Amino acid sequence: MILLDGKSAAEAMKKDIAREVIRWCKESGRRPHLAAILVGEDPASLTYVRNKENDCRQVGMDSSVYRLSSTISQEGLFECIRTINEDKDIDGLIVQLPLPDHLDEQEIIEAIDPAKDVDGFHPVNVGKMVLGLPSFVSATPAGIIDLLAFYRIPTTGKECVIVGRSNIVGRPLANLLSRKGSGGDCTVTLCHSRTTDLAKVCRRADILVAALGQPHFLKANMIKEGAVVIDVGITRIADKSTKSGFRLAGDVDFEEVAPRCSYITPVPGGVGPMTRVSLLKNTLQAALKRNQ
Ligand code: NAP
């Protein structure tokens, strides 16, 4: 079994991005700039945004965080997005999700300028991605594709089963893995909570992706011998023995499943770092496009 080390892969990719950023800065006279809107004080969201700022710094990009109260109105949030959309010095914009319940997430995503939508959630980018046109691809599915490519794991003709059909992970990933050409050409089955006999479907998979948000859900009896297993799940579990008071758990029962796999991602240190590096790639792409 080989561990798919997303941390090392992401570090290698960041070096390439940093080189490209230097080249772009010389040409444009400024640095690519990622803006993040953070609504409220959700601890996980605070950590994610802080990590994104650090990542930007590491590759020589600028970043800024717009911190808004958890009671902000929909119109107030629109106003902030409009300001950033119009700011010529900002290349990429993300709104950290989830948002408080009183805000309409879909409407907020649709307010972002598609040319700055580096999360790839805007319907324009989703539509282009589905049609195979150049677009921002959402960070987690793009990171998974890059991780498979980094380890030269073949996808052509492989049976791929994805558990979880969310708009940010499962659904776009199903699209990317089934598209024609390099990194695609899989036969994809997309599963969800209504799938009949999930274990039987999972056992068909040469490449199995768990993205359901249920800690340790995938057990050894759901895995074909020699499968590649990608664990997207991140759930915070209370743990008094750690400094932070919690630990991160994936959707795969790693101890049980790892011995049956050819490759498997750890949690943390697998898909997470690849997601973050995809956001940097998209921000650089946004900056490059604005200079064309
Ligand atoms: P989500 O929007 O909650 O969707 C979960 C999906 O899993 C749904 O399609 C749901 O089915 C399905 N599901 C739930 N329980 C199931 C079960 N018992 N059997 C089969 N399918 C089941 O989740 P998400 O936003 O995609 O996130 C999934 C996990 O990935 C979470 O732990 C999240 O924190 C993590 N995540 C990690 C990264 C990263 O960078 N590593 C990025 C994004 C998300 P229905 O549609 O039928 O309800």
Side-chain angles (χ1 to χ4, degrees), residues 110-175:
E110 290 182 26
I112 298 172
D113 176 354
K116 294 191 178 187
D117 166 44
V118 287
D119 257 338
F121 294 161
H122 192 287
V124 166
N125 284 315
V126 175
K128 284 184 174 176
M129 187 265 301
V130 170
L131 294 171
L133 299 171
S135 65
F136 295 118
V137 175
S138 74
T140 302
I144 293 169
I145 298 288
D146 282 346
L147 188 61
L148 293 171
F150 188 85
Y151 279 89
R152 300 182 193 282
I153 294 171
T155 54
T156 303
K158 301 295 178 192
E159 284 269 353
C160 176
V161 173
I162 302 170
V163 187
R165 58 178 162 184
S166 75
N167 288 338
I168 63 164
V169 185
R171 208 170 281 280
L173 183 62
N175 226 285

Short mmCIF file of all heavy atoms in Angstrom, two decimals, residues 110-175:
data_model
loop_
_atom_site.label_atom_id
_atom_site.label_comp_id
_atom_site.label_asym_id
_atom_site.label_seq_id
_atom_site.Cartn_x
_atom_site.Cartn_y
_atom_site.Cartn_z
N GLU A 110 -23.82 33.37 -6.95
CA GLU A 110 -24.14 33.92 -8.27
C GLU A 110 -23.82 35.41 -8.38
O GLU A 110 -23.77 35.96 -9.48
CB GLU A 110 -25.61 33.64 -8.62
CG GLU A 110 -25.83 32.16 -8.89
CD GLU A 110 -27.24 31.79 -9.27
OE1 GLU A 110 -27.96 32.65 -9.80
OE2 GLU A 110 -27.63 30.63 -9.01
N ALA A 111 -23.58 36.06 -7.24
CA ALA A 111 -23.24 37.49 -7.26
C ALA A 111 -21.75 37.70 -7.56
O ALA A 111 -21.33 38.80 -7.91
CB ALA A 111 -23.59 38.12 -5.92
N ILE A 112 -20.96 36.64 -7.44
CA ILE A 112 -19.51 36.76 -7.69
C ILE A 112 -19.27 36.85 -9.20
O ILE A 112 -19.88 36.11 -9.98
CB ILE A 112 -18.76 35.54 -7.10
CG1 ILE A 112 -18.95 35.47 -5.58
CG2 ILE A 112 -17.28 35.56 -7.46
CD1 ILE A 112 -18.42 34.20 -4.93
N ASP A 113 -18.38 37.75 -9.60
CA ASP A 113 -17.99 37.84 -11.02
C ASP A 113 -17.38 36.49 -11.44
O ASP A 113 -16.40 36.05 -10.84
CB ASP A 113 -16.96 38.97 -11.15
CG ASP A 113 -16.42 39.10 -12.56
OD1 ASP A 113 -16.73 38.26 -13.42
OD2 ASP A 113 -15.66 40.07 -12.79
N PRO A 114 -17.96 35.81 -12.45
CA PRO A 114 -17.42 34.49 -12.84
C PRO A 114 -15.92 34.53 -13.16
O PRO A 114 -15.22 33.54 -12.96
CB PRO A 114 -18.23 34.12 -14.09
CG PRO A 114 -19.48 34.91 -13.98
CD PRO A 114 -19.15 36.17 -13.24
N ALA A 115 -15.42 35.69 -13.60
CA ALA A 115 -13.99 35.80 -13.93
C ALA A 115 -13.12 35.83 -12.66
O ALA A 115 -11.91 35.68 -12.73
CB ALA A 115 -13.73 37.06 -14.75
N LYS A 116 -13.76 36.07 -11.49
CA LYS A 116 -13.01 36.07 -10.22
C LYS A 116 -13.39 34.88 -9.34
O LYS A 116 -12.89 34.74 -8.23
CB LYS A 116 -13.29 37.38 -9.45
CG LYS A 116 -12.73 38.61 -10.16
CD LYS A 116 -12.76 39.84 -9.28
CE LYS A 116 -12.16 41.03 -10.03
NZ LYS A 116 -12.00 42.21 -9.19
N ASP A 117 -14.29 34.03 -9.85
CA ASP A 117 -14.85 32.92 -9.05
C ASP A 117 -13.87 31.75 -8.98
O ASP A 117 -14.06 30.71 -9.61
CB ASP A 117 -16.19 32.49 -9.69
CG ASP A 117 -16.69 31.17 -9.17
OD1 ASP A 117 -16.63 30.96 -7.94
OD2 ASP A 117 -17.10 30.33 -10.00
N VAL A 118 -12.78 31.93 -8.19
CA VAL A 118 -11.71 30.93 -8.17
C VAL A 118 -12.10 29.66 -7.40
O VAL A 118 -11.37 28.67 -7.44
CB VAL A 118 -10.39 31.53 -7.63
CG1 VAL A 118 -9.79 32.46 -8.67
CG2 VAL A 118 -10.60 32.27 -6.32
N ASP A 119 -13.24 29.66 -6.73
CA ASP A 119 -13.76 28.43 -6.15
C ASP A 119 -14.47 27.59 -7.21
O ASP A 119 -14.77 26.42 -6.98
CB ASP A 119 -14.76 28.75 -5.02
CG ASP A 119 -14.15 28.56 -3.63
OD1 ASP A 119 -13.15 27.82 -3.52
OD2 ASP A 119 -14.68 29.16 -2.67
N GLY A 120 -14.79 28.22 -8.34
CA GLY A 120 -15.45 27.48 -9.43
C GLY A 120 -16.87 27.05 -9.12
O GLY A 120 -17.37 26.07 -9.66
N PHE A 121 -17.55 27.81 -8.23
CA PHE A 121 -18.92 27.43 -7.83
C PHE A 121 -20.00 28.15 -8.65
O PHE A 121 -21.17 27.77 -8.61
CB PHE A 121 -19.16 27.78 -6.35
CG PHE A 121 -18.33 26.97 -5.38
CD1 PHE A 121 -18.15 27.41 -4.07
CD2 PHE A 121 -17.75 25.77 -5.76
CE1 PHE A 121 -17.40 26.67 -3.15
CE2 PHE A 121 -16.99 25.02 -4.86
CZ PHE A 121 -16.82 25.47 -3.56
N HIS A 122 -19.63 29.24 -9.35
CA HIS A 122 -20.63 30.00 -10.11
C HIS A 122 -21.19 29.14 -11.25
O HIS A 122 -20.45 28.40 -11.90
CB HIS A 122 -19.98 31.26 -10.68
CG HIS A 122 -20.97 32.24 -11.22
ND1 HIS A 122 -21.66 32.04 -12.40
CD2 HIS A 122 -21.41 33.43 -10.73
CE1 HIS A 122 -22.47 33.06 -12.60
NE2 HIS A 122 -22.35 33.91 -11.60
N PRO A 123 -22.53 29.22 -11.50
CA PRO A 123 -23.12 28.38 -12.55
C PRO A 123 -22.42 28.52 -13.91
O PRO A 123 -22.36 27.55 -14.66
CB PRO A 123 -24.57 28.89 -12.64
CG PRO A 123 -24.84 29.50 -11.31
CD PRO A 123 -23.54 30.01 -10.78
N VAL A 124 -21.88 29.69 -14.20
CA VAL A 124 -21.17 29.88 -15.48
C VAL A 124 -19.95 28.95 -15.52
O VAL A 124 -19.69 28.26 -16.52
CB VAL A 124 -20.74 31.35 -15.67
CG1 VAL A 124 -19.73 31.49 -16.80
CG2 VAL A 124 -21.96 32.22 -15.92
N ASN A 125 -19.21 28.90 -14.43
CA ASN A 125 -18.02 28.04 -14.40
C ASN A 125 -18.40 26.56 -14.34
O ASN A 125 -17.75 25.72 -14.97
CB ASN A 125 -17.11 28.42 -13.23
CG ASN A 125 -16.34 29.70 -13.53
OD1 ASN A 125 -15.79 29.86 -14.63
ND2 ASN A 125 -16.33 30.62 -12.60
N VAL A 126 -19.45 26.25 -13.58
CA VAL A 126 -19.90 24.85 -13.51
C VAL A 126 -20.34 24.39 -14.91
O VAL A 126 -19.94 23.31 -15.37
CB VAL A 126 -21.06 24.69 -12.50
CG1 VAL A 126 -21.60 23.26 -12.52
CG2 VAL A 126 -20.61 25.07 -11.09
N GLY A 127 -21.11 25.24 -15.59
CA GLY A 127 -21.60 24.90 -16.93
C GLY A 127 -20.45 24.69 -17.90
O GLY A 127 -20.43 23.71 -18.66
N LYS A 128 -19.46 25.58 -17.86
CA LYS A 128 -18.31 25.45 -18.76
C LYS A 128 -17.54 24.17 -18.46
O LYS A 128 -17.10 23.47 -19.37
CB LYS A 128 -17.38 26.67 -18.61
CG LYS A 128 -17.94 27.91 -19.29
CD LYS A 128 -16.93 29.03 -19.18
CE LYS A 128 -17.38 30.25 -19.96
NZ LYS A 128 -16.46 31.38 -19.80
N MET A 129 -17.39 23.89 -17.17
CA MET A 129 -16.66 22.67 -16.78
C MET A 129 -17.37 21.43 -17.35
O MET A 129 -16.74 20.55 -17.93
CB MET A 129 -16.58 22.60 -15.25
CG MET A 129 -15.72 21.49 -14.69
SD MET A 129 -16.63 20.03 -14.25
CE MET A 129 -17.79 20.61 -13.06
N VAL A 130 -18.70 21.41 -17.23
CA VAL A 130 -19.48 20.26 -17.72
C VAL A 130 -19.30 20.10 -19.23
O VAL A 130 -19.21 18.99 -19.76
CB VAL A 130 -20.97 20.41 -17.34
CG1 VAL A 130 -21.82 19.36 -18.05
CG2 VAL A 130 -21.15 20.30 -15.83
N LEU A 131 -19.22 21.24 -19.93
CA LEU A 131 -19.07 21.20 -21.39
C LEU A 131 -17.62 20.99 -21.83
O LEU A 131 -17.33 20.92 -23.02
CB LEU A 131 -19.59 22.51 -22.00
CG LEU A 131 -21.10 22.73 -21.86
CD1 LEU A 131 -21.48 24.13 -22.30
CD2 LEU A 131 -21.88 21.71 -22.66
N GLY A 132 -16.71 20.93 -20.86
CA GLY A 132 -15.29 20.73 -21.19
C GLY A 132 -14.63 21.99 -21.70
O GLY A 132 -13.58 21.92 -22.36
N LEU A 133 -15.23 23.16 -21.42
CA LEU A 133 -14.64 24.43 -21.85
C LEU A 133 -13.71 24.95 -20.76
O LEU A 133 -13.87 24.58 -19.58
CB LEU A 133 -15.75 25.46 -22.10
CG LEU A 133 -16.76 25.08 -23.19
CD1 LEU A 133 -17.93 26.05 -23.21
CD2 LEU A 133 -16.07 25.04 -24.55
N PRO A 134 -12.75 25.82 -21.10
CA PRO A 134 -11.87 26.37 -20.06
C PRO A 134 -12.70 27.08 -18.98
O PRO A 134 -13.60 27.86 -19.31
CB PRO A 134 -11.01 27.39 -20.82
CG PRO A 134 -11.09 26.99 -22.25
CD PRO A 134 -12.43 26.35 -22.44
N SER A 135 -12.43 26.79 -17.74
CA SER A 135 -13.21 27.37 -16.64
C SER A 135 -12.42 27.18 -15.35
O SER A 135 -11.43 26.47 -15.32
CB SER A 135 -14.54 26.65 -16.49
OG SER A 135 -14.30 25.30 -16.11
N PHE A 136 -12.90 27.82 -14.27
CA PHE A 136 -12.35 27.51 -12.96
C PHE A 136 -13.06 26.23 -12.49
O PHE A 136 -14.28 26.18 -12.44
CB PHE A 136 -12.63 28.63 -11.97
CG PHE A 136 -11.92 29.91 -12.32
CD1 PHE A 136 -12.63 31.05 -12.61
CD2 PHE A 136 -10.54 29.95 -12.37
CE1 PHE A 136 -11.98 32.23 -12.93
CE2 PHE A 136 -9.88 31.13 -12.70
CZ PHE A 136 -10.60 32.26 -12.98
N VAL A 137 -12.26 25.23 -12.14
CA VAL A 137 -12.83 23.97 -11.64
C VAL A 137 -12.74 24.00 -10.13
O VAL A 137 -11.71 24.39 -9.58
CB VAL A 137 -12.05 22.76 -12.20
CG1 VAL A 137 -12.56 21.46 -11.60
CG2 VAL A 137 -12.16 22.72 -13.72
N SER A 138 -13.81 23.58 -9.46
CA SER A 138 -13.81 23.71 -8.00
C SER A 138 -12.64 22.94 -7.40
O SER A 138 -12.20 21.90 -7.91
CB SER A 138 -15.16 23.35 -7.40
OG SER A 138 -15.36 21.99 -7.42
N ALA A 139 -12.12 23.50 -6.32
CA ALA A 139 -10.78 23.17 -5.84
C ALA A 139 -10.61 21.71 -5.41
O ALA A 139 -9.57 21.10 -5.70
CB ALA A 139 -10.42 24.10 -4.68
N THR A 140 -11.58 21.13 -4.74
CA THR A 140 -11.38 19.77 -4.24
C THR A 140 -11.34 18.74 -5.39
O THR A 140 -10.39 17.95 -5.46
CB THR A 140 -12.45 19.42 -3.19
OG1 THR A 140 -12.36 20.39 -2.14
CG2 THR A 140 -12.24 18.04 -2.61
N PRO A 141 -12.32 18.76 -6.31
CA PRO A 141 -12.22 17.81 -7.42
C PRO A 141 -10.95 18.02 -8.25
O PRO A 141 -10.30 17.06 -8.63
CB PRO A 141 -13.47 18.11 -8.27
CG PRO A 141 -14.38 18.85 -7.39
CD PRO A 141 -13.56 19.54 -6.34
N ALA A 142 -10.59 19.28 -8.49
CA ALA A 142 -9.37 19.55 -9.27
C ALA A 142 -8.15 19.01 -8.53
O ALA A 142 -7.24 18.43 -9.14
CB ALA A 142 -9.22 21.05 -9.50
N GLY A 143 -8.13 19.16 -7.21
CA GLY A 143 -7.01 18.67 -6.40
C GLY A 143 -6.90 17.15 -6.46
O GLY A 143 -5.80 16.59 -6.48
N ILE A 144 -8.04 16.47 -6.48
CA ILE A 144 -8.03 15.00 -6.55
C ILE A 144 -7.47 14.55 -7.90
O ILE A 144 -6.64 13.62 -7.98
CB ILE A 144 -9.45 14.44 -6.30
CG1 ILE A 144 -9.86 14.71 -4.84
CG2 ILE A 144 -9.52 12.94 -6.61
CD1 ILE A 144 -11.31 14.45 -4.53
N ILE A 145 -7.90 15.21 -8.97
CA ILE A 145 -7.38 14.87 -10.30
C ILE A 145 -5.86 15.08 -10.33
O ILE A 145 -5.11 14.25 -10.85
CB ILE A 145 -8.08 15.75 -11.39
CG1 ILE A 145 -9.59 15.48 -11.43
CG2 ILE A 145 -7.43 15.56 -12.76
CD1 ILE A 145 -10.00 14.16 -12.01
N ASP A 146 -5.41 16.20 -9.75
CA ASP A 146 -3.96 16.48 -9.73
C ASP A 146 -3.20 15.45 -8.89
O ASP A 146 -2.08 15.08 -9.22
CB ASP A 146 -3.69 17.89 -9.15
CG ASP A 146 -3.97 18.99 -10.17
OD1 ASP A 146 -4.09 18.67 -11.37
OD2 ASP A 146 -4.07 20.16 -9.77
N LEU A 147 -3.80 15.01 -7.80
CA LEU A 147 -3.13 14.04 -6.92
C LEU A 147 -2.95 12.71 -7.67
O LEU A 147 -1.89 12.09 -7.61
CB LEU A 147 -3.94 13.85 -5.63
CG LEU A 147 -3.28 13.00 -4.54
CD1 LEU A 147 -1.96 13.62 -4.06
CD2 LEU A 147 -4.22 12.83 -3.34
N LEU A 148 -4.01 12.27 -8.38
CA LEU A 148 -3.91 11.02 -9.16
C LEU A 148 -2.82 11.18 -10.22
O LEU A 148 -2.02 10.26 -10.44
CB LEU A 148 -5.26 10.69 -9.82
CG LEU A 148 -6.40 10.31 -8.86
CD1 LEU A 148 -7.73 10.22 -9.61
CD2 LEU A 148 -6.11 8.99 -8.15
N ALA A 149 -2.78 12.35 -10.86
CA ALA A 149 -1.77 12.58 -11.91
C ALA A 149 -0.37 12.62 -11.31
O ALA A 149 0.57 12.06 -11.88
CB ALA A 149 -2.07 13.90 -12.63
N PHE A 150 -0.23 13.24 -10.13
CA PHE A 150 1.08 13.36 -9.48
C PHE A 150 1.67 11.97 -9.23
O PHE A 150 2.86 11.75 -9.38
CB PHE A 150 0.92 14.13 -8.17
CG PHE A 150 2.22 14.48 -7.51
CD1 PHE A 150 2.92 15.63 -7.87
CD2 PHE A 150 2.76 13.67 -6.52
CE1 PHE A 150 4.12 15.95 -7.26
CE2 PHE A 150 3.97 13.98 -5.91
CZ PHE A 150 4.65 15.13 -6.28
N TYR A 151 0.82 11.04 -8.83
CA TYR A 151 1.28 9.67 -8.55
C TYR A 151 1.17 8.75 -9.77
O TYR A 151 1.32 7.55 -9.66
CB TYR A 151 0.50 9.08 -7.36
CG TYR A 151 1.06 9.56 -6.04
CD1 TYR A 151 0.60 10.74 -5.45
CD2 TYR A 151 2.08 8.86 -5.39
CE1 TYR A 151 1.13 11.19 -4.25
CE2 TYR A 151 2.60 9.30 -4.20
CZ TYR A 151 2.13 10.46 -3.63
OH TYR A 151 2.66 10.90 -2.44
N ARG A 152 0.88 9.37 -10.94
CA ARG A 152 0.78 8.63 -12.20
C ARG A 152 -0.16 7.43 -12.09
O ARG A 152 0.16 6.32 -12.54
CB ARG A 152 2.17 8.16 -12.67
CG ARG A 152 3.11 9.31 -12.90
CD ARG A 152 4.46 8.82 -13.41
NE ARG A 152 5.46 9.85 -13.34
CZ ARG A 152 5.57 10.86 -14.19
NH1 ARG A 152 4.74 10.98 -15.20
NH2 ARG A 152 6.52 11.77 -14.04
N ILE A 153 -1.28 7.65 -11.45
CA ILE A 153 -2.28 6.58 -11.33
C ILE A 153 -3.18 6.62 -12.55
O ILE A 153 -3.82 7.64 -12.81
CB ILE A 153 -3.10 6.75 -10.03
CG1 ILE A 153 -2.18 6.54 -8.83
CG2 ILE A 153 -4.28 5.79 -9.98
CD1 ILE A 153 -2.78 6.88 -7.49
N PRO A 154 -3.21 5.53 -13.33
CA PRO A 154 -4.01 5.57 -14.55
C PRO A 154 -5.51 5.62 -14.25
O PRO A 154 -5.97 5.02 -13.26
CB PRO A 154 -3.65 4.25 -15.26
CG PRO A 154 -2.78 3.48 -14.34
CD PRO A 154 -2.52 4.26 -13.10
N THR A 155 -6.23 6.36 -15.06
CA THR A 155 -7.68 6.44 -14.88
C THR A 155 -8.44 5.81 -16.07
O THR A 155 -9.58 5.38 -15.90
CB THR A 155 -8.13 7.92 -14.74
OG1 THR A 155 -7.64 8.67 -15.86
CG2 THR A 155 -7.61 8.54 -13.46
N THR A 156 -7.80 5.76 -17.22
CA THR A 156 -8.48 5.29 -18.43
C THR A 156 -9.06 3.89 -18.26
O THR A 156 -8.35 2.95 -17.88
CB THR A 156 -7.50 5.31 -19.63
OG1 THR A 156 -7.00 6.62 -19.75
CG2 THR A 156 -8.18 4.87 -20.92
N GLY A 157 -10.35 3.79 -18.51
CA GLY A 157 -11.03 2.50 -18.47
C GLY A 157 -11.31 1.99 -17.07
O GLY A 157 -11.86 0.89 -16.90
N LYS A 158 -10.93 2.76 -16.04
CA LYS A 158 -11.11 2.29 -14.66
C LYS A 158 -12.56 2.52 -14.21
O LYS A 158 -13.21 3.48 -14.63
CB LYS A 158 -10.16 3.02 -13.71
CG LYS A 158 -8.69 2.85 -14.03
CD LYS A 158 -8.23 1.43 -13.87
CE LYS A 158 -6.78 1.26 -14.25
NZ LYS A 158 -6.37 -0.13 -14.38
N GLU A 159 -12.99 1.63 -13.32
CA GLU A 159 -14.30 1.80 -12.66
C GLU A 159 -14.09 2.73 -11.47
O GLU A 159 -13.27 2.42 -10.59
CB GLU A 159 -14.81 0.46 -12.11
CG GLU A 159 -15.34 -0.48 -13.13
CD GLU A 159 -16.85 -0.33 -13.34
OE1 GLU A 159 -17.50 0.43 -12.60
OE2 GLU A 159 -17.35 -0.98 -14.27
N CYS A 160 -14.80 3.85 -11.45
CA CYS A 160 -14.66 4.77 -10.33
C CYS A 160 -16.01 4.90 -9.63
O CYS A 160 -17.03 5.13 -10.28
CB CYS A 160 -14.19 6.12 -10.85
SG CYS A 160 -14.12 7.33 -9.54
N VAL A 161 -16.01 4.73 -8.33
CA VAL A 161 -17.24 4.93 -7.55
C VAL A 161 -17.01 6.09 -6.59
O VAL A 161 -16.01 6.12 -5.87
CB VAL A 161 -17.63 3.64 -6.77
CG1 VAL A 161 -18.81 3.90 -5.85
CG2 VAL A 161 -17.92 2.50 -7.74
N ILE A 162 -17.93 7.06 -6.64
CA ILE A 162 -17.85 8.23 -5.76
C ILE A 162 -19.04 8.17 -4.81
O ILE A 162 -20.18 8.05 -5.26
CB ILE A 162 -17.90 9.54 -6.58
CG1 ILE A 162 -16.75 9.57 -7.60
CG2 ILE A 162 -17.84 10.76 -5.67
CD1 ILE A 162 -16.86 10.70 -8.62
N VAL A 163 -18.77 8.24 -3.52
CA VAL A 163 -19.87 8.24 -2.55
C VAL A 163 -20.06 9.68 -2.06
O VAL A 163 -19.18 10.24 -1.40
CB VAL A 163 -19.59 7.29 -1.37
CG1 VAL A 163 -20.84 7.18 -0.48
CG2 VAL A 163 -19.16 5.91 -1.86
N GLY A 164 -21.20 10.27 -2.43
CA GLY A 164 -21.49 11.68 -2.11
C GLY A 164 -21.67 12.46 -3.40
O GLY A 164 -20.80 12.44 -4.27
N ARG A 165 -22.83 13.14 -3.52
CA ARG A 165 -23.15 13.82 -4.79
C ARG A 165 -23.27 15.33 -4.61
O ARG A 165 -24.09 15.98 -5.26
CB ARG A 165 -24.46 13.25 -5.35
CG ARG A 165 -25.63 13.40 -4.39
CD ARG A 165 -26.93 12.87 -4.99
NE ARG A 165 -27.92 12.62 -3.96
CZ ARG A 165 -29.11 12.10 -4.18
NH1 ARG A 165 -29.46 11.75 -5.39
NH2 ARG A 165 -29.96 11.89 -3.18
N SER A 166 -22.46 15.90 -3.71
CA SER A 166 -22.58 17.35 -3.48
C SER A 166 -22.09 18.12 -4.71
O SER A 166 -21.33 17.60 -5.52
CB SER A 166 -21.77 17.77 -2.26
OG SER A 166 -20.39 17.77 -2.58
N ASN A 167 -22.56 19.38 -4.79
CA ASN A 167 -22.16 20.24 -5.92
C ASN A 167 -20.71 20.65 -5.85
O ASN A 167 -20.15 21.12 -6.84
CB ASN A 167 -23.04 21.50 -5.96
CG ASN A 167 -24.44 21.17 -6.40
OD1 ASN A 167 -24.67 20.15 -7.05
ND2 ASN A 167 -25.39 22.02 -6.05
N ILE A 168 -20.08 20.54 -4.67
CA ILE A 168 -18.69 21.01 -4.57
C ILE A 168 -17.68 19.87 -4.68
O ILE A 168 -16.51 20.11 -4.95
CB ILE A 168 -18.44 21.85 -3.30
CG1 ILE A 168 -18.66 21.04 -2.03
CG2 ILE A 168 -19.28 23.09 -3.28
CD1 ILE A 168 -18.05 21.72 -0.80
N VAL A 169 -18.12 18.64 -4.45
CA VAL A 169 -17.16 17.52 -4.53
C VAL A 169 -17.63 16.44 -5.52
O VAL A 169 -17.12 16.33 -6.63
CB VAL A 169 -16.86 16.88 -3.15
CG1 VAL A 169 -15.77 15.83 -3.29
CG2 VAL A 169 -16.46 17.90 -2.11
N GLY A 170 -18.60 15.64 -5.10
CA GLY A 170 -18.95 14.43 -5.85
C GLY A 170 -19.38 14.68 -7.28
O GLY A 170 -18.88 14.05 -8.22
N ARG A 171 -20.30 15.62 -7.46
CA ARG A 171 -20.87 15.85 -8.80
C ARG A 171 -19.81 16.37 -9.79
O ARG A 171 -19.64 15.78 -10.86
CB ARG A 171 -22.07 16.79 -8.70
CG ARG A 171 -23.10 16.62 -9.75
CD ARG A 171 -24.33 17.42 -9.41
NE ARG A 171 -25.18 16.76 -8.43
CZ ARG A 171 -26.03 15.79 -8.72
NH1 ARG A 171 -26.14 15.35 -9.95
NH2 ARG A 171 -26.77 15.25 -7.78
N PRO A 172 -19.06 17.45 -9.44
CA PRO A 172 -18.02 17.87 -10.39
C PRO A 172 -16.93 16.82 -10.60
O PRO A 172 -16.42 16.66 -11.71
CB PRO A 172 -17.44 19.15 -9.76
CG PRO A 172 -17.94 19.20 -8.37
CD PRO A 172 -19.17 18.38 -8.28
N LEU A 173 -16.59 16.08 -9.54
CA LEU A 173 -15.55 15.05 -9.70
C LEU A 173 -16.01 13.97 -10.67
O LEU A 173 -15.22 13.48 -11.50
CB LEU A 173 -15.18 14.45 -8.34
CG LEU A 173 -14.06 13.42 -8.37
CD1 LEU A 173 -12.75 14.04 -8.85
CD2 LEU A 173 -13.84 12.79 -6.99
N ALA A 174 -17.29 13.58 -10.58
CA ALA A 174 -17.84 12.57 -11.50
C ALA A 174 -17.69 13.05 -12.93
O ALA A 174 -17.33 12.29 -13.84
CB ALA A 174 -19.32 12.31 -11.17
N ASN A 175 -17.93 14.33 -13.12
CA ASN A 175 -17.79 14.93 -14.44
C ASN A 175 -16.36 14.88 -14.95
O ASN A 175 -16.10 14.50 -16.09
CB ASN A 175 -18.24 16.38 -14.33
CG ASN A 175 -19.15 16.70 -15.46
OD1 ASN A 175 -18.66 16.85 -16.57
ND2 ASN A 175 -20.45 16.72 -15.20
#
